[in-house]
Amino acid sequence: MSVTELRPRTPAETRLIQLAEAQGENENARRPAIEALRREGLPTRKVEAWHYTDLRQLMGKRLGSDDAVEALRESGETLLEPLLQGSAVVDLDAPEAAHLPNGVTGSASAGEADWKTTPNRLDRSIDTVRAMNAAFGAASATIDVAAGTHLDHALELRPATGLKSHAFTTVTIGEKAEATIVERLDGGTTGAPSTGVNMLHVGAGANVLWIVDQEKGLDSSHLGQLSVRLEADSVFRLFVLNAGGGFVRYEVHTDVVGEGADVQIRGVNLLHAGQHVDVTTTLNHTVAHTTATETFRNVVTGGHGVFQGIIKVARGAQKTDAKMACNSLLLSDEGDFSAKPELEIFADDVQCGHGATAGEIDADHLFYLMSRGIPGDQARALLIKAFVAEVVEELEVEAIEDALETRIEAWLEANIR
Amino acid sequence: MLEIKNLHARVADEGTEILRGVDLTVNDGEIAAIMGPNGSGKSTLSYILAGREDYEVTEGDILYNGESILEMEPDERAASGLFLAFQYPLEIPGVATMTFLKTALNAQRKARDEDELTTPEFMRRVKAAAGDLKINPEMLKRPLNVGFSGGEKKRAEILQMALLEPKLCVMDETDSGLDIDALKIVADGVNALRSPERSFLVITHYQRLLDYIVPDTVHVLSNGRIVKTGDKDLALQLEREGYSQIIEEAA
Ligand SMILES: Nc1ncnc2c1ncn2[C@@H]1O[C@H](COP(=O)(O)OP(=O)(O)OP(=O)(O)O)[C@@H](O)[C@H]1O
Ligand SMILES: [Mg+2]
């Protein structure tokens, strides 16, 4: 009798395995991950990391039709303009073909996706996102930015857009290098789930700005993960824009392993009816004198939003200064946002804090704007934009702020009245 | 210009009556001052004029150029020429001051079927008005009122007033928080706006402002009613004697 067979498989789990098996190619590398999923199934809500996101239910609805399983093939999608002008575009299924600037190399790595470690300490014995990524046969890509390189333009990473969109990307930023990287998650109207796992290594004294621009179609689902390791005196800045997707889970796990390192995470989640968007983050501080700030701003006109964030400070990590905030603007009774910020601190000389707020548009602010002649709808739109603009403006790079604000304005125009 | 008739109003969600029959007329081109003890209802009156929803009018009416404005939204009142300089101007993070000014100006112009201002014309006007009020243009690059000092906020209110060119200017304690030089600058700004078609309702606690902005009429509001009306000498009398005598006489 096998203990692992006790829980019956749900239709979602059965379909998931079917779909993974149908991906073809590299069967041997995928086999162990498929077996692990077959054995463990999808996480129930009893697993803390998945408490607000019932994967069995959500994935079950979004595993594509039988046709999707049958017709696994690449579909040619329209070419996008890069988010930031002048970016070097890297197609993650053919990184070696990209025109990369000096100091940057890209290659398709032969190695299989690493799904054996579990960066999300709240997850089960297997890391759900990574195991799925591996089971689906993620294409491995490696991108290296050589030490000391200062990139003038961003690198834009694009996963394949067809039915088979699974990427495992390792990005290494050499010592004292500076780079902006855009992870562009777009398209995905096929109904099949996509996954993307990124391993980012930020060398000593390096400075990285990573931007996630997620604007997938409403019928698509995406499981993403970004695991970051920061060496001494490095700076890692992250901006996450979720402005699409039917079901999206994006995990960020940072390991600060060098003194003087600084993490700055900002994000905007824009939600409307029919969506489930989950951002789950772990900030690990293991050495002394490191800093982190994290702020998410959410605009909810419908659907379900989730933020789970934990700051972990190890015993020796004195003088850690870490702050986390999650603020939601709830514009309709139809939507909700669950926020669960947590601290787990084993050092005694630290400054850590968190806060979560949820509310409506401030009536006094609205009155002030209207008393100057601005009609109600326009005044509301201005205040909603202001609420998210505050975190965008913290980027302090005008071209990037403008690009993100354009995307945000397009969403607001389409979804606010 | 403005006729307030037997106005009764209460706090909308709890029912406390604050205005208990205010009667007040302000003619075209008139400067009317309202004085009165703390908590007498001066700010409440100004909010109700501007259309704030927190208050409910239970009796009486407000006529602006002969027509009731009680059913009008705050933005409609503003577009028709009413302006309230707040006692406590709000900080609105994330809204750039210039964006706000331009949006307000053009929204009002649109409501009046006028063409939008071009950006250069808008900039020219802001620069001129800021110069008159000695407002540092750097301040206007910040989000609306955010981090402005108390006096800077008051000056910014007058800047908005100068740009929007309202017909009826309600100024709620614009003088409190202003230093002596700023008081003079703001008063000069107001005096420059004086015209036969423009009226002012100036709420203040201090005679000093009225030395610079000389009122045609002075009204004392006490416990939700106008209890005495006079000319500028009434303000001097109040300065000397305080409120109690006058309020007792009226009772
Ligand atoms: N929204 C409200 N809820 C409850 N009470 C209110 C509200 N607004 C005003 N009040 C009360 O109504 C009274 C009048 O307030 P108001 O602000 O109009 O006074 P004021 O004459 O402007 O005073 P001050 O000179 O101090 O500015 C006060 O007692 C105040 O507490
Ligand atoms: Mg007041």
Side-chain angles (χ1 to χ4, degrees):
Chain A
M1 197 179 77
S2 155
V3 181
T4 51
E5 287 299 331
L6 281 181
R7 193 156 57 84
R9 296 286 83 104
T10 63
E13 288 166 330
T14 311
R15 167 56 60 81
L16 180 76
I17 304 297
Q18 255 184 337
L19 202 61
E21 283 180 331
Q23 297 281 330
E25 287 171 47
N26 222 353
E27 181 85 11
N28 290 341
R30 280 165 33 233
R31 186 54 48 197
I34 293 177
E35 285 309 323
L37 282 180
R38 201 196 292 282
R39 193 176 62 243
E40 304 286 339
L42 288 168
T44 68
R45 296 188 53 191
K46 288 197 189 112
V47 177
E48 206 180 338
W50 298 93
H51 180 68
Y52 298 97
T53 294
D54 186 352
L55 210 48
R56 296 203 297 172
Q57 207 257 349
L58 286 159
M59 288 300 294
K61 286 191 202 152
R62 294 184 175 85
L63 286 168
S65 61
D66 287 340
D67 292 350
V69 180
E70 303 271 302
L72 270 175
R73 58 178 168 72
E74 299 299 321
S75 69
E77 293 253 335
T78 47
L79 279 176
L80 290 169
E81 284 290 317
L83 177 72
L84 305 175
Q85 253 184 17
S87 296
V89 173
V90 183
D91 287 317
L92 290 176
D93 52 351
E96 67 286 354
H99 297 287
L100 294 169
N102 283 340
V104 185
T105 51
S107 61
S109 21
E112 58 199 73
D114 166 23
W115 58 278
K116 305 256 166 52
T117 46
T118 309
N120 185 350
R121 276 104 186 132
L122 303 176
D123 211 332
R124 315 168 287 168
S125 58
I126 60 165
D127 185 88
T128 305
V129 174
R130 288 198 189 180
M132 299 231 303
N133 179 256
F136 283 128
S140 293
T142 301
I143 291 153
D144 287 318
V145 176
T149 308
H150 288 201
L151 294 180
D152 295 331
H153 294 288
L155 303 176
E156 180 165 307
L157 311 185
R158 293 183 182 176
T161 50
L163 273 171
K164 228 168 91 180
S165 177
H166 303 283
F168 183 90
T169 312
T170 306
V171 179
T172 306
I173 311 293
E175 279 185 22
K176 297 207 169 79
E178 283 182 23
T180 297
I181 293 168
V182 177
E183 184 184 2
R184 192 80 182 268
L185 302 171
D186 215 299
T189 49
T190 58
S194 56
T195 64
V197 171
N198 305 289
M199 314 286 284
L200 172 65
H201 188 176
V202 185
N207 191 320
V208 181
L209 170 60
W210 185 289
I211 295 166
V212 181
D213 176 18
Q214 187 280 115
E215 298 185 58
K216 289 176 94 66
L218 249 194
D219 56 353
S220 61
S221 54
H222 182 77
L223 295 175
Q225 191 181 83
L226 173 60
S227 296
V228 190
R229 190 181 158 81
L230 283 92
E231 304 289 348
D233 300 317
S234 65
V235 178
F236 167 63
R237 298 198 294 155
L238 169 67
F239 192 93
V240 180
L241 172 63
N242 275 310
F247 161 52
V248 175
R249 160 89 160 200
Y250 199 93
E251 297 182 2
V252 181
H253 307 296
T254 61
D255 277 308
V256 179
V257 299
E259 290 196 5
D262 181 36
V263 175
Q264 300 167 31
I265 299 177
R266 299 291 179 274
V268 169
N269 296 309
L270 306 173
L271 277 114
H272 57 65
Q275 288 184 285
H276 182 107
V277 175
D278 171 338
V279 174
T280 291
T281 71
T282 320
L283 308 183
N284 269 303
H285 294 262
T286 50
V287 296
H289 298 286
T290 64
T291 48
T293 55
E294 178 172 16
T295 308
F296 276 87
R297 290 276 164 102
N298 316 302
V299 176
V300 184
T301 66
H304 308 284
V306 177
F307 171 77
Q308 279 180 295
I310 187 162
I311 297 173
K312 292 181 164 241
V313 181
R315 197 172 305 276
Q318 300 295 11
K319 306 283 178 196
T320 296
D321 185 334
K323 304 268 179 323
M324 173 166 53
C326 178
N327 313 114
S328 304
L329 198 51
L330 302 173
L331 298 176
S332 144
D333 298 340
E334 312 285 296
D336 57 56
F337 201 100
S338 309
K340 189 182 176 204
E342 283 180 283
L343 301 175
E344 196 183 284
I345 297 170
F346 293 107
D348 52 14
D349 184 13
V350 300
Q351 286 202 333
C352 293
H354 67 69
T357 62
E360 299 166 21
I361 288 177
D362 187 308
D364 292 340
H365 287 176
L366 188 63
F367 173 64
Y368 189 70
L369 296 185
M370 288 179 74
S371 79
R372 281 3 181 188
I374 304 175
D377 285 353
Q378 206 182 343
R380 260 185 287 274
L382 208 58
L383 290 172
I384 296 164
K385 210 184 117 197
F387 175 73
V388 295
E390 272 189 284
V391 286
V392 177
E393 278 158 16
E394 286 186 75
L395 284 167
E396 290 186 346
V397 185
E398 211 174 304
I400 301 178
E401 289 169 37
D402 288 350
L404 289 167
E405 272 169 5
T406 304
R407 309 309 306 150
I408 290 168
E409 263 167 56
W411 188 94
L412 293 176
E413 237 155 70
N415 292 286
I416 309 287
R417 236 165 261 250
Chain B
M1 174 76 58
L2 178 71
E3 280 175 88
I4 301 175
K5 291 181 169 170
N6 189 31
L7 190 70
H8 290 253
R10 61 186 189 194
V11 179
D13 56 7
E14 51 157 300
T16 318
E17 185 162 57
I18 299 171
L19 301 186
R20 307 153 188 267
V22 174
D23 284 294
L24 178 69
T25 300
V26 182
N27 294 313
D28 291 0
E30 179 177 331
I31 296 194
I34 296 187
M35 303 181 82
N38 293 132
S40 55
K42 302 180 299 297
S43 292
T44 302
L45 177 63
S46 73
Y47 284 142
I48 290 172
L49 286 170
R52 192 174 179 135
E53 279 182 358
D54 309 32
Y55 304 99
E56 186 189 342
V57 172
T58 51
E59 215 183 311
D61 206 348
I62 302 171
L63 304 182
Y64 174 64
N65 292 328
E67 287 183 41
S68 173
I69 58 169
L70 290 183
E71 296 302 316
M72 285 165 74
E73 293 289 323
D75 58 303
E76 296 170 324
R77 298 184 194 200
S80 74
L82 197 145
F83 181 90
L84 166 62
F86 282 57
Q87 181 175 1
Y88 304 108
L90 280 90
E91 298 195 6
I92 308 197
V95 174
T97 304
M98 291 302 257
T99 309
F100 159 76
L101 290 174
K102 197 167 180 211
T103 309
L105 202 51
N106 280 333
Q108 290 204 15
R109 294 178 71 88
K110 195 172 162 209
R112 294 193 294 257
D113 282 328
E114 296 164 11
D115 285 339
E116 291 199 350
L117 286 184
T118 61
T119 302
E121 174 60 14
F122 165 75
M123 296 300 288
R124 196 191 59 74
R125 290 189 188 194
V126 175
K127 244 176 143 175
D132 290 345
L133 290 163
K134 304 230 167 21
I135 289 175
N136 182 350
E138 285 301 308
M139 236 172 73
L140 302 177
K141 292 183 181 159
R142 306 222 291 259
L144 186 53
N145 290 332
V146 175
F148 290 18
S149 74
E152 286 170 344
K153 282 181 189 165
K154 294 302 180 73
R155 259 188 268 190
E157 291 287 286
I158 302 307
L159 172 71
Q160 293 179 31
M161 190 167 98
L163 285 171
L164 295 170
E165 301 178 317
K167 292 282 170 350
L168 174 60
C169 309
V170 182
M171 298 165 61
D172 191 358
E173 293 195 30
T174 300
D175 51 340
S176 45
L178 289 179
D179 65 41
I180 299 158
D181 292 344
L183 185 68
K184 184 86 178 33
I185 292 165
V186 164
D188 287 347
V190 169
N191 287 326
L193 287 171
R194 278 187 92 152
S195 93
E197 294 87 45
R198 184 173 284 132
S199 309
F200 293 84
L201 194 57
V202 180
I203 297 169
T204 182
H205 285 296
Y206 305 108
Q207 158 61 28
R208 204 181 54 206
L209 176 72
L210 304 180
D211 283 340
Y212 294 116
I213 305 175
V214 181
D216 300 303
T217 51
V218 174
H219 309 267
V220 178
L221 186 71
S222 166
N223 199 15
R225 267 196 211 98
I226 302 289
V227 295
K228 190 162 174 108
T229 293
D231 62 10
K232 62 181 192 316
D233 294 336
L234 177 56
L236 291 166
Q237 186 192 343
L238 288 169
E239 177 96 340
R240 280 194 312 270
E241 300 172 4
Y243 288 113
S244 47
Q245 180 83 19
I246 281 170
I247 291 169
E248 261 168 50
E249 273 170 31

